[in-house]
Amino acid sequence: SKGMPSSIVTAFQFLPGPLMLLYYSAKIHFPWDKPIWYVFLITTFIVIPPFSWALNFASQRIEVTLIKPLSALSGLSALIAGMLLAHQSIKPIAIAGILVSTAGLMLLYHARWAVWKKPYPWIALASVLMFGFNAVIVSMTLRAFPYPLTITATELTGGFILSALGSTRKHRHMKWTTYNLALLLGYGIACLSQELFTSFALAAAPAALVISVKRSSIIIASLAGYFLF
């Protein structure tokens, strides 16, 4: 991420959102009569964007092998929020699986607990816990408004607005090299694919299970960060 301000990276991540939302807004009637829709809009446009920026900020200042294991905790926050808010029924064996996988990923901190003396893990922790809560809100919204593509477009737009404002003064610090542009393009495609698949999954299964399966990628990311960087 050297030479790439976090606000630029975040803005590029969310760039497809406004374009998708503009396309779908002319084709779909939004559920303005549903209270959960307003909750979704508040979390999407006001709550989540600062946390997304904060996570990118922390990720650029600490090893990926230290940041990624924290993402497992979003499965726990999704589990608690899903049971309390959405009344989602999850089998005990599934709950046990979430707890075991979370504990296993946290073992990656073995002999590295001193990192918590820095502020960046705490920033990342607050972000991932909020992301788990947000997954439940998205899941509840999809029950009332079963259009995953539109939900994804709205989420990305919410992130783009704040990150675009934050990047207006940062573009001069960006190194617009072919390598950096290729990295941004690959990152943008990966993020868009992830958001789309996650929305479709949240429409079909409890948020805690979706997030826990999604966090299995942490192992791959941690191993790649260890061997490549």
Side-chain angles (χ1 to χ4, degrees), residues 31-64:
W32 299 108
D33 59 327
K34 305 288 187 180
I36 188 61
W37 178 247
Y38 292 94
V39 175
F40 169 70
L41 292 179
I42 291 172
T43 56
T44 297
F45 287 95
I46 298 176
V47 178
I48 293 302
F51 282 100
S52 295
W53 179 89
L55 183 60
N56 271 324
F57 175 83
S59 298
Q60 290 186 326
R61 288 159 176 81
I62 197 170
E63 296 177 35
V64 66

Side-chain angles (χ1 to χ4, degrees), residues 167-181:
S167 64
T168 53
R169 296 184 179 181
K170 296 292 185 179
H171 67 278
R172 297 179 181 178
H173 303 288
M174 174 70 181
K175 296 180 180 179
W176 298 100
T177 63
T178 303
Y179 177 75
N180 282 348
L181 288 174

Side-chain angles (χ1 to χ4, degrees), residues 6 11 50 55 96 105 144 157-159 165 172 195 202 205 221:
S6 58
L55 183 60
L105 287 168
T157 301
L165 292 174
R172 297 179 181 178
E195 292 293 337
L202 287 172

Side-chain angles (χ1 to χ4, degrees), residues 15-224:
L15 180 59
L19 303 177
M20 293 173 60
L21 187 60
L22 182 64
Y23 174 79
Y24 287 114
S25 62
K27 299 178 177 295
I28 294 177
H29 296 287
F30 294 95
W32 299 108
D33 59 327
K34 305 288 187 180
I36 188 61
W37 178 247
Y38 292 94
V39 175
F40 169 70
L41 292 179
I42 291 172
T43 56
T44 297
F45 287 95
I46 298 176
V47 178
I48 293 302
F51 282 100
S52 295
W53 179 89
L55 183 60
N56 271 324
F57 175 83
S59 298
Q60 290 186 326
R61 288 159 176 81
I62 197 170
E63 296 177 35
V64 66
T65 52
L66 296 176
I67 287 289
K68 280 298 181 181
L70 290 176
S71 299
L73 296 177
S74 62
L76 290 180
S77 62
L79 174 64
I80 295 172
M83 296 176 69
L84 295 179
L85 299 180
H87 305 291
Q88 294 176 342
S89 178
I90 301 177
K91 296 181 179 179
I93 187 65
I95 296 176
I98 293 173
L99 296 176
V100 169
S101 62
T102 301
L105 287 168
M106 294 306 292
L107 287 177
L108 292 172
Y109 278 101
H110 177 66
R112 306 178 75 180
W113 294 104
V115 70
W116 287 94
K117 295 180 180 179
K118 299 179 180 180
Y120 309 120
W122 295 102
I123 294 173
L125 175 61
S127 299
V128 299
L129 291 177
M130 181 55 65
F131 292 160
F133 171 79
N134 182 62
V136 174
I137 298 299
V138 173
S139 179
M140 295 171 65
T141 306
L142 283 166
R143 300 294 187 274
F145 183 62
Y147 295 95
L149 291 175
T150 307
I151 291 294
T152 300
T154 307
E155 288 186 287
L156 293 175
T157 301
F160 178 78
I161 292 174
L162 180 63
S163 58
L165 292 174
S167 64
T168 53
R169 296 184 179 181
K170 296 292 185 179
H171 67 278
R172 297 179 181 178
H173 303 288
M174 174 70 181
K175 296 180 180 179
W176 298 100
T177 63
T178 303
Y179 177 75
N180 282 348
L181 288 174
L183 282 178
L184 281 175
L185 179 61
Y187 179 67
I189 293 174
C191 288
L192 178 60
S193 301
Q194 174 181 278
E195 292 293 337
L196 289 173
F197 282 124
T198 300
S199 290
F200 278 102
L202 287 172
L209 298 182
V210 174
I211 296 301
S212 295
V213 172
K214 181 179 177 181
R215 295 315 178 201
S216 63
S217 64
I218 298 170
I219 298 176
I220 298 175
S222 297
L223 291 174

